[in-house]
Each structure stands twice: as structure tokens, then as C-alpha cells.
Amino acid sequence: MKFSIASIFSTVAAALTIFSTVQAAAVPTPVEVQKRAIEGINNYACKLTPAHPRPLLLVHGTTLTLDSWSTWAPLLIEEGYCVFGLTYGKYKDIPLLGGIAPIEDNAQEVANFANNVLTRMNATQLDYIGHSQGGILGRYWIKYLDGAGKINRMIGVAPIHHGTTLSGITTFATALHLLNPSQPLFDAVAPALYQMIVGSPFMQKLNAGGDTSPGVIHSNIATRYDEIVTPWETCYQDAPGVTNTLLQNLCLLSLNEHITIINSKIALRWTLNQLDPSTAKTANCLSVF
């Protein structure tokens, strides 16, 4: 069976459109960003306490920005955490979208920011919450940059630990021998997208030798309705001591998918329990109140 160049690019364009449209739906306009500024974040005057002895870093997902934490960050700050975050991964002046540059560059950007937080807060370690791509940048920082020993707890919220089939699109494209020829298109628009496909060279490098880091307390929460990181089980890490949780096991009624999981107060309650097990409260459907 033969395929024209037009058919190849139309298939790839469709995949990119689905990926970008679903994620970009959560990207706010400049007016919304202004209205939803996160009060209290990146406050270097915040005092670390015995109850919360480490800075807390929030790392957003692909095509999103720091603003995607506008639900969780204020509540974490209210709980007494010194919360920090950034928008990383801008690429070729594409407006509003973060996390689309090469993942190695994104990880370095996060590493530079985190190192600055540690220095200015006079801390040796931080705790880390990463959504989607944000869930793996800390791992890359530890494994291939200078992050060893600098993360105490790493919590993944629908993290892309093992890549994605993008609801089967990449599997279909691979079967038709369309995926590899599409890489130049991905690289021209948003290199990070191709790197997150199941079996990509980046994913192989990231998980070589295991998908956890010594000394780090790993936790992950996934949603059954994830349409971006698929199958949803790829959000999990397979190693002794890792806590892997499905949102719908906490509340069967939760319909949150890949983007809206970071608006879920059930997922937030679970995350607070991971950050400080000594103050854990049951995470269930009542956590929304």
C-alpha cells in the first residue's frame, strides 16, 4: 500500500491537532492570566517551618503554563507550603504555550529555576509536583543533570513516565509507517510532542536502568479518563515503595481527565496526603467540599 506525501502530512497534522487542541483548551488568554494571577507563589520571603521544611515546586504540563496551577497553588499556600513554579519550554515565539521545546531543554530550564529556589531559600532539598510532562522533568534533572539528592518527594499527576500512544493514534501511524516520517513536522512545531511517544529515543533514555531514582519518595495519581497519556497505566512507576493511585478508586464519580485532574480537589487531597502523611485525611468524593 502506498501513501502520498499529502496523506502522510494530513495524518500527522490530525494527530498534532488532536494533541494540541485537547491540551490548549486549558491555556488561558492573556486577560484570563491577569485575572487568575496566583497570589503568594514564588515568595522568597516565605519561611520554611518544621511542618513544611522544604520548598514545593509545581511543574506544569505540555502546552500549559504556570497558570494551570491556579486551583491548587493557592490551597497549597494556605496549607503553609512555600510554593514555587515557572512557565518553561516556550519555543520559537509561539504565544501562550509552554512545555513544547525539546524536553532536554525544558528539564534544564526547570533545573536552573529549582537550583535558584534552593539557593535563595537556603534549602538542600525540595518537594516536587509535576503534571504530565512536568512529572518527568524532575526525573531527567536527577538522572542526567545536577539534581541527584535535591528532590525529597516527587509526585506525578497524570505523569507521562512511559510515553503515550495518544489514544492509539501513534500506534496506528506506526503500523502504516507514517510516524517516523512525521518527526520533522513535530520538531518544527513542538519537539517535545514526538519525544513523548511510546518507545521514542527520549523515553528509552529516560527509563534506561529503571523509572525511579534512589532516595526519592515517588507517588503518582492517574485518571481512567486520560485521553492524552494512554494507556493511563503508563502513568505508573514499577518499583518497590512507589505509591500508584487511580483517581476513580478514590471517587468513582470523578470524571476528571488529563487536563482537569489538576483542578480536582480529590486529587489535591491525595497529594497533600503524599506530601505529609502525618496529617493525612481520607481522599474521597467528599474532598470536593
Side-chain angles (χ1 to χ4, degrees), residues 20-30 32-33 36 60-68 90 94-98 100 259:
S20 300
T21 299
V22 171
Q23 296 232 34
V27 179
T29 66
E32 289 172 329
V33 169
R36 298 168 61 190
H60 64 77
T62 310
T63 77
L64 300 179
T65 67
L66 173 60
D67 184 68
S68 66
K90 294 293 185 73
I94 296 175
L96 296 180
L97 303 184
I100 60 175
I259 296 296

Side-chain angles (χ1 to χ4, degrees), residues 36-38 58 66-78 259-266 268:
R36 298 168 61 190
I38 302 171
L58 305 182
L66 173 60
D67 184 68
S68 66
W69 297 108
S70 61
T71 297
W72 281 24
L75 297 174
L76 289 164
I77 292 167
E78 284 182 15
I259 296 296
T260 61
I261 192 172
I262 52 172
N263 297 324
S264 167
K265 290 186 178 179
I266 300 164
L268 173 60

Side-chain angles (χ1 to χ4, degrees), residues 6 15 23 26 41 46 120 148 150 178 188 205 210 214 217 249 251:
Q23 296 232 34
I41 200 167
C46 181
R120 294 182 62 177
K150 295 181 180 180
L178 301 179
K205 178 180 178 179
I217 304 168
N249 285 346
C251 177

